[in-house]
Amino acid sequence: MQINVKSNISTFAKAMDAFGKNQIPFATANALTSTAFDVRKQIVDDTYPSSFTVRNKRFASTMFRVEKANKRNLTARVFDRLGRDYMTTQAEGGMKRPRGNNIAIPSRQIKRTASGKVPKGKQPRNVLGGKGYRTTLRSGQEVIAEQTGRGAARRQRVLYLLEKVARIPKRFPFYEDANKTAGRMFDRNFKKSFAFAKQTARRKAKGTMRA
């Protein structure tokens, strides 16, 4: 998943003098990069924690990265460097269909790792290869379960619900929050970057003239 931050400054460029126009590509690249970092901060600090139960506070900052813009490519990118398909599903929602006969949906009994994965030993195939078994509850729900305890304390623990199809709700507003942040921050970043670029160019010009 990713979002590209682009800009169309042709109208603004027409209002610039020749000196100012020379600084536009540099200023735009810096503004796009700054805006991409603003987007990343929004996603990591607010959007992600508001959407999920965070067990590993470093996971989001590890996952989302920024690809900087430059004068030749006026596009900055915020992207998931881990390439987790399930994050795209959480951001877009939709229907998930099984590769085999069923989709195994983890219950609350399955504790994920710090990186958000189901531990290898608790994945459906490995559970079924160990003490787990398929069964049907009184409600008619098919599940993968295992027995815990002994004697009178013996109980059935449901690890996975088995479904033919699963509706994945849209719960991670990555694109919406990213677009709002980019729209709010780019003009501010561009003005700051353009003023700095123009000031730097003038200092260099004066130094050249003195030399």
Side-chain angles (χ1 to χ4, degrees):
M1 64 188 304
Q2 67 178 38
I3 183 168
N4 293 337
V5 182
K6 301 181 181 180
S7 176
N8 182 354
I9 58 171
S10 59
T11 302
F12 182 79
K14 291 177 182 178
M16 291 290 101
D17 55 27
F19 184 81
K21 286 182 181 180
N22 292 334
Q23 306 309 314
I24 287 179
F26 176 77
T28 302
N30 283 346
L32 289 170
T33 297
S34 295
T35 301
F37 277 105
D38 289 332
V39 168
R40 179 183 180 276
K41 179 175 174 57
Q42 166 64 38
I43 298 300
V44 170
D45 292 354
D46 296 311
T47 306
Y48 185 89
S50 297
S51 302
F52 305 103
T53 299
V54 178
R55 295 186 176 87
N56 180 357
K57 295 182 179 180
R58 298 176 60 184
F59 179 62
S61 60
T62 299
M63 177 168 51
F64 292 106
R65 286 288 185 264
V66 170
E67 184 178 288
K68 298 179 180 180
N70 57 60
K71 292 190 290 184
R72 292 173 296 280
N73 180 21
L74 295 179
T75 303
R77 188 164 68 106
V78 180
F79 63 100
D80 169 13
R81 76 177 186 88
L82 302 178
R84 299 293 174 83
D85 291 340
Y86 68 83
M87 291 304 300
T88 300
T89 302
Q90 296 292 333
E92 298 177 357
M95 302 298 293
K96 182 178 181 180
R97 301 187 181 280
R99 295 178 181 177
N101 296 322
N102 299 98
I103 297 173
I105 302 174
S107 73
R108 293 183 179 179
Q109 300 297 329
I110 299 295
K111 305 301 182 184
R112 296 181 182 270
T113 66
S115 62
K117 292 183 176 181
V118 173
K120 188 174 182 180
K122 288 299 183 180
Q123 292 175 4
R125 286 186 180 182
N126 294 327
V127 169
L128 290 172
K131 298 180 180 180
Y133 55 87
R134 288 185 59 162
T135 187
T136 302
L137 303 179
R138 291 182 180 179
S139 63
Q141 174 69 58
E142 290 187 83
V143 301
I144 295 175
E146 66 178 8
Q147 296 291 342
T148 62
R150 295 180 179 180
R154 192 177 185 185
R155 299 181 62 183
Q156 182 182 72
R157 181 168 63 175
V158 174
L159 301 181
Y160 289 93
L161 307 180
L162 298 177
E163 300 287 356
K164 299 297 182 184
V165 65
R167 181 179 294 278
I168 308 299
K170 184 176 179 179
R171 60 181 296 195
F172 179 39
F174 171 83
Y175 301 108
E176 292 84 351
D177 285 6
N179 282 317
K180 286 179 183 177
T181 301
R184 184 177 71 252
M185 297 302 299
F186 177 76
D187 285 348
R188 185 185 308 175
N189 288 332
F190 180 79
K191 289 177 182 177
K192 185 187 299 183
S193 181
F194 181 75
F196 176 77
K198 200 168 181 179
Q199 185 179 20
T200 301
R202 282 175 174 164
R203 283 202 300 265
K204 288 182 179 179
K206 288 181 179 179
T208 302
M209 291 175 63
R210 286 172 185 169

